[in-house]
Amino acid sequence: MSTSSSVPVSLAEIARIAGVGRAAVSNWRRRHDSFPSRIGGTDVSPQFSLAEVERWLRENGKLKDVGGREFLWPRFEALGSRDESGLAIAEAARRMRSPRTRTTSDLSAEVRQLVGEAAALGRTEGPRETFEFLLQRWLETHVRQLSTTPSPLASLMTRIALAARIGEPEEGLTALDPACGTGHLAAAVVRECDGSRLTVLGCERDPALAALATARLGFSTEGQDVRTEIVTADALREDPFAGTRADIALCNPPFNERDWGYEELATDQRWAHGLPPRTEPELAWVQHLLSHLKPGGSAVVLLPPAVASRKAGRRIRGSLLRTGALRAVVALPPGSAQPHSVSLQLWILRVAPDSPSAAAPAQDALLVDATGFARPGTREPGPDWDALTSFVLSALADLDHPEADPPESAVRVPLLDLLDDEVDVTPGRYTASHTEPTGTELAAAWKELGSLLTGLTTHAQQLSELGFEAAAPQTTATVGELVKAGALTLRAGQQPPENGSSSEDTGVPLLTVPDLLMDGTPGGLAPSGTAHTVAEEGDVVVAGVVRAFRAWVHQGPPMALGPQLYALRVDPEKMDAHFLAGCLRAPANGRQAGTHASSSSRVDVRRLHVLQLPLEEQAAYAETFRRLRGFEALLSRADSLGKGLVGDVGDRLAAGGLTP
């Protein structure tokens, strides 16, 4: 495939094309005079000609099993406009599926040529695979502008909706997504209803997203009895499916959008539960979904947690509960979808069947707290999808059986308890945060606390015997000076490869500053075959950022270090590693070497001070540093355990479960 010499690519993109880490590309650039010259960018972020890079990689045997699509994507990215590149990818997909279809004349000559080449490549390397590759790259490039529904969450929402509806569809299942984006939820419906007669309706106001959703469904439904229709429109203002009723509806609507049509839609008939306040656009989407459901139909909508408790929406929430439209709320772990720092919620909605034998509206709602299924310790915190899916489906299995006991972290709350002045349906407010301890467990906890306090007393006695009235502090040397003197070596951690690592990667564990801010467990792997800084057992590791400043002697297997982490290896004939770590982690040391500009400011590791002592005297200091750390650990554990005991015993006393 021909490529344009004017298309720029970064070092990261070259690494992605060649299937190596960015450090490897930097090494090629330093070692090979024939490596293409920079055509743009900066010294820190240089850019190169795609055509020259492709030629150099091929001539030097640096390409492994790389298909033409790797060289295709930078040309789409070079189009610049998010909309133009998205529409071009959608048009290429249409041409892949229907080769004789003419490319739309609305595209420029350059884009039409690119679309034609992409379609030809797709027919060679696989149309669906090529489209999915381009779509994924497009989504990654514009991740800050788009909010997508992760595939596991889309499947979970679909399965919930299918299980919650009442009755069987007479003429095949109809599914609706009124804010479908690039079609993640619609594609999940096709997956979960494989083999069923299915109609999938979608609406999206962004033309590029609507075109990509249409293309995605075109590939997803090949060979199946599925009718799809994606309309470009604002579903709230210009509902293209007015009067259409669906068996299930799914939606991940835009959050906190004030300009949703409050004024022009004030008298809209969809607001059966009340006109949504201007500040509650999410409740407009909730009622829009309900207006499109058949009797017995169900909907699942992804919402921010504030919708469950904001004062402005309590009247509508109350009406949804009284009529039985809101059947359950599931609190998801942070990281389930964008924004990843928030515990989003799934609202399960249903319209009552219209049969004479239909039961009266339920007198309770099921609230499920699934926030405990987060997986801390990963660079991108997210839930354990398998465990989360199993738990949520199990908790919702008895949605219409009030006599069944829900699992732990789920509770049926009577409407009388929900319909108070707040009408708060936040699951965490009603589910127990922990199981009440037994008497035996309380007794064991008190015994452990006693042992901790004894240990604290021993440590405190030993530490109190230090020479607090000793002479003035001795001289110190900086880390930079010790490096020059050969007493230690300093190596800085590196940015992980942008193409990440797979679960099958055999690289070493990778520790980053975000890992330290969570639980200190390495959250990823440094891919094998790439250059990275590795801390060996006995090395001193320093976190060079104010908010996570610390230093410790690494114990255990080798560990790769990310940015702002440093590995110091001592000369054992000149310095004790535990002595060095104790000196470095002194709080005053971090304050002195930090920039103090903000909580994310860096610590200049070379400016950290170390006490100057002969090697034979360092051992006593190292032992005292270890004792101080042990005292800190005991103090932290005693504090946590003591506060928990105060709460647990207080609860039991107040309930009459203990005899004073």
Side-chain angles (χ1 to χ4, degrees), residues 59-81:
E59 290 175 353
N60 288 270
K62 301 299 184 183
L63 292 179
K64 301 175 183 177
D65 297 328
V66 177
R69 66 184 71 152
E70 291 286 356
F71 294 101
L72 186 65
W73 163 247
R75 300 178 63 192
F76 280 95
E77 187 177 21
L79 295 177
S81 165

Side-chain angles (χ1 to χ4, degrees), residues 407-595:
E408 184 181 343
S409 298
V411 62
R412 292 184 179 278
V413 183
L415 295 189
L416 289 176
D417 294 337
L418 291 170
L419 297 174
D420 54 14
D421 291 339
E422 297 179 359
V423 196
D424 189 341
V425 293
T426 303
R429 180 177 178 179
Y430 302 92
T431 57
S433 59
H434 63 280
T435 303
E436 183 179 347
T438 64
T440 302
E441 291 171 335
L442 282 176
W446 276 114
K447 185 175 181 180
E448 181 185 353
L449 181 60
S451 299
L452 290 171
L453 294 176
T454 300
L456 278 171
T457 302
T458 302
H459 277 70
Q461 179 63 37
Q462 293 171 339
L463 292 170
S464 67
E465 296 173 358
L466 294 174
F468 292 108
E469 304 300 328
Q474 302 181 36
T475 58
T476 61
T478 65
V479 168
E481 292 169 340
L482 293 173
V483 170
K484 291 180 180 179
L488 55 86
T489 58
L490 173 65
R491 292 164 297 139
Q494 298 170 324
Q495 180 68 36
E498 296 188 19
N499 56 347
S501 60
S502 66
S503 58
E504 293 80 18
D505 205 303
T506 58
V508 297
L510 173 67
L511 181 71
T512 64
V513 169
D515 296 332
L516 287 178
L517 294 174
M518 286 188 288
D519 62 1
T521 303
L525 293 175
S528 54
T530 60
H532 41 255
T533 298
V534 175
E536 304 284 351
E537 185 166 7
D539 287 350
V540 176
V541 180
V542 181
V545 61
V546 171
R547 59 178 174 161
F549 176 68
R550 65 194 76 177
W552 70 95
V553 178
H554 176 60
Q555 305 292 337
M559 176 179 67
L561 302 179
Q564 301 180 11
L565 294 176
Y566 301 83
L568 284 72
R569 182 166 298 170
V570 303
D571 180 345
E573 296 183 358
K574 297 180 179 180
M575 185 163 289
D576 183 292
H578 290 278
F579 168 77
L580 173 63
C583 290
L584 294 179
R585 63 173 165 258
N589 216 353
R591 291 194 296 270
Q592 178 181 349
T595 62

Side-chain angles (χ1 to χ4, degrees), residues 161-396:
L162 291 171
R165 65 189 174 90
I166 298 176
E168 293 295 327
E170 296 180 359
E171 299 179 355
L173 188 81
T174 299
L176 170 69
D177 182 355
C180 67
T182 55
H184 287 76
L185 287 168
V189 172
V190 175
R191 273 197 316 273
E192 296 296 332
C193 299
D194 185 25
S196 303
R197 286 183 302 161
L198 180 65
T199 298
V200 179
L201 307 176
C203 184
E204 173 54 52
R205 65 188 179 189
D206 186 313
L209 301 186
L212 288 168
T214 300
R216 167 179 268 170
L217 290 179
F219 285 113
S220 299
T221 59
E222 285 182 330
Q224 299 187 50
D225 184 13
V226 179
R227 183 179 77 84
T228 64
E229 182 180 359
I230 304 296
V231 179
T232 304
D234 184 328
L236 291 183
R237 286 188 169 95
E238 308 169 35
D239 185 3
F241 300 115
T244 300
R245 297 292 179 266
D247 297 284
I248 63 171
L250 305 170
C251 192
N252 179 0
F255 298 162
N256 303 318
E257 190 174 65
R258 299 297 179 91
D259 183 23
W260 56 270
Y262 174 78
E263 289 86 358
E264 59 262 48
L265 298 174
T267 59
D268 197 286
Q269 295 183 353
R270 287 172 291 182
W271 315 142
H273 300 277
L275 172 64
R278 187 190 304 274
T279 57
E280 295 284 347
E282 295 86 1
L283 292 178
W285 287 103
V286 165
Q287 295 192 74
H288 175 82
L289 292 172
L290 287 170
S291 72
H292 279 286
L293 289 180
K294 296 177 181 178
S298 62
V300 180
V301 56
L302 183 68
L303 297 175
V307 182
S309 59
R310 277 194 296 237
K311 185 177 180 180
R314 61 183 177 181
R315 182 169 57 88
I316 294 178
R317 291 196 299 271
S319 177
L320 292 170
L321 289 167
R322 280 190 295 269
T323 58
L326 178 57
R327 295 296 299 117
V329 177
V330 178
L332 297 171
S336 296
Q338 295 171 288
H340 292 290
S341 60
V342 176
S343 172
L344 299 173
Q345 296 178 355
L346 295 178
W347 283 25
I348 292 85
L349 310 163
R350 190 167 63 200
V351 171
D354 58 1
S355 63
S357 60
Q363 296 304 303
D364 61 21
L366 182 61
L367 304 182
V368 182
D369 185 355
T371 55
F373 288 88
R375 280 190 294 203
T378 60
R379 275 186 290 159
E380 297 183 2
D384 181 341
W385 283 111
D386 290 339
L388 172 64
T389 298
S390 177
F391 168 73
V392 171
L393 293 177
S394 174
L396 297 175

Side-chain angles (χ1 to χ4, degrees), residues 36-65:
S37 301
R38 193 183 100 192
I39 64 170
T42 64
D43 290 337
V44 177
S45 301
Q47 293 184 326
F48 307 85
S49 164
L50 175 62
E52 294 178 6
V53 166
E54 180 180 3
R55 187 181 310 113
W56 188 89
L57 291 174
R58 295 191 186 281
E59 290 175 353
N60 288 270
K62 301 299 184 183
L63 292 179
K64 301 175 183 177
D65 297 328

